[in-house]
Amino acid sequence: MTLDIADRAFFTLLGPSGCGKTTLLRLIAGFEDLTAGEIALFGQPIAGLPPDRRPVNTVFQNYALFPHMTVAQNVEFGLRMKGVPEPQRRARAVRMLEMVHLADLAGRLPAELSGGQQQRVALARALAPGPRVLLLDEPLSALDLKLRQAMRVELKAIQEETGITFVFVTHDQEEALSMSDSIAVMSAGRIQQVGTPREIYEAPVNRFVADFIGETNLVPAEVERVECGTARVVLPGGTALACPAAPGVGPGAHHVSIRPERVTLSPAGELAATVERVVYLGSDLQLMTRLADGAPFAVRLQNAARVAVPAPGAAVRLHLEEGAVRLLAD
């Protein structure tokens, strides 16, 4: 793979377990040896440097705090290893703990902290030496949902405040979309697409990216022609329409991506379907339908009093909003 990460960016490596994202992170950190290629930081090769000589730090999934040290001593540890005098390192530790809102817990041991507090101590310890790049290996995976959501906001705020480049590894699409400036979607050791969260979600280049990022309907389509990035496709049931096409797609049998939230119910809808199940999701309602050719198709409606919800077994017409359909590469 070839990858450029911008300075001061929140960059996320996103993909399923086993796709290679943590291996790539470990290569940047120096915990794995490079067998070919090069890793450069601001133009300077670093592949030959041991981990402690690289201007990067890592926040691990299990936090790896020293249990016999207090919170403050954990945060000071990297500075002490670098020979920073005690007054300076104590002042720096206080500053880092204030940044993660833990200054009043400086004297506690890790065992006396919650999971979220331990995560923030690990983050403060990694930031204290002032690395040029901070590597984060799924640091939120052990937290409960509410705490994960709160920590996403804090992590992004800390990255913007410090101006340090964050390289974040996760398999959670919502984490990636909510925090990142740029995302690299990975599969089987290869990068499938790099872009902003909106680009990755709205304009996936292939079936893997479309299916992995969020929820989508992958519908078979016959492509009649492609001109200047726009394709003429025929959907099941004979509906023909024009839609944006991913690069490199030509005439023939392919798939289009249609996000469930970009579909509404309308008597004049382009697709005929039968409702099989209605799932209540609080703020949303999910309709599990089946198209005339038997293919499953999900529709997501906002839960509002004005929304008329069809009963299971009802025949409906599905209207595709403008820009809802995108032709994908296989």
Side-chain angles (χ1 to χ4, degrees):
M1 62 181 65
T2 298
L3 184 63
D4 290 320
I5 299 175
D7 185 26
R8 298 174 177 266
F10 196 119
F11 190 93
T12 296
L13 299 170
L14 173 66
S17 297
C19 73
K21 54 190 186 294
T22 294
T23 299
L24 180 55
L25 204 75
R26 290 175 62 83
L27 285 167
I28 298 172
F31 301 141
E32 300 282 352
D33 293 328
L34 211 60
T35 55
E38 182 181 272
I39 299 175
L41 181 63
F42 298 100
Q44 300 299 313
I46 62 170
L49 296 177
D52 63 311
R53 302 253 335 262
R54 300 186 184 197
V56 304
N57 250 349
T58 306
V59 178
F60 299 98
Q61 186 173 353
N62 63 357
Y63 313 142
L65 299 177
F66 299 112
H68 62 289
M69 294 183 183
T70 65
V71 166
Q73 290 168 341
N74 265 280
V75 176
E76 289 181 36
F77 180 79
L79 298 169
R80 183 154 58 88
M81 292 298 99
K82 290 179 177 292
V84 177
E86 183 176 348
Q88 286 93 318
R89 70 173 186 252
R90 285 191 174 179
R92 178 69 174 171
V94 169
R95 171 73 185 95
M96 292 298 100
L97 289 173
E98 288 175 347
M99 183 182 295
V100 298
H101 311 297
L102 289 178
D104 57 338
L105 302 182
R108 292 194 184 183
L109 294 173
E112 299 173 309
L113 305 178
S114 69
Q117 290 168 337
Q118 290 183 42
Q119 194 274 338
R120 284 185 278 167
V121 173
L123 181 62
R125 182 180 63 180
L127 288 170
R132 302 188 75 178
V133 178
L134 186 66
L135 310 174
L136 301 103
D137 188 9
E138 303 206 46
L140 308 184
S141 61
L143 306 181
D144 62 60
L145 177 60
K146 287 286 188 181
L147 191 52
R148 280 205 313 272
Q149 292 172 337
M151 283 306 304
R152 291 172 195 163
V153 177
E154 286 201 31
L155 271 181
K156 181 58 178 172
I158 289 170
Q159 186 270 324
E160 291 175 344
E161 180 179 347
T162 60
I164 295 173
T165 302
F166 277 27
V167 182
F168 186 87
V169 161
T170 185
H171 61 271
D172 188 310
Q173 302 94 326
E174 191 173 316
E175 276 184 9
L177 292 172
S178 63
M179 293 189 293
S180 309
D181 298 312
S182 295
I183 300 171
V185 182
M186 295 181 61
S187 174
R190 295 184 182 274
I191 293 176
Q192 302 294 313
Q193 185 175 356
V194 180
T196 65
R198 181 174 291 275
E199 289 168 345
I200 295 289
Y201 187 83
E202 300 286 353
V205 297
N206 58 34
R207 288 177 61 184
F208 176 83
V209 175
D211 193 37
F212 189 77
I213 300 295
E215 182 183 9
T216 195
N217 296 293
L218 296 175
V219 179
E222 187 68 27
V223 180
E224 295 181 338
R225 63 179 183 273
V226 181
E227 296 177 355
C228 301
T230 299
R232 173 79 172 178
V233 302
V234 180
L235 302 181
T239 299
L241 50 81
C243 67
V249 183
H254 294 281
H255 283 78
V256 295
S257 168
I258 305 174
R259 299 289 184 187
E261 70 274 12
R262 304 294 294 277
V263 182
T264 57
L265 304 181
S266 171
E270 295 86 347
L271 297 176
T274 302
V275 177
E276 292 194 330
R277 188 156 52 97
V278 178
V279 181
Y280 178 77
L281 298 173
S283 61
D284 295 336
L285 296 170
Q286 187 178 49
L287 272 59
M288 308 304 297
T289 75
R290 197 164 293 275
L291 301 180
D293 68 344
F297 194 96
V299 179
R300 190 175 287 255
L301 304 175
Q302 186 176 9
N303 185 13
R306 64 180 182 278
V307 175
V309 182
V316 295
R317 302 288 301 188
L318 307 179
H319 170 61
L320 311 178
E321 295 180 0
E322 184 176 355
V325 182
R326 179 173 174 82
L327 178 62
L328 304 172
D330 292 329

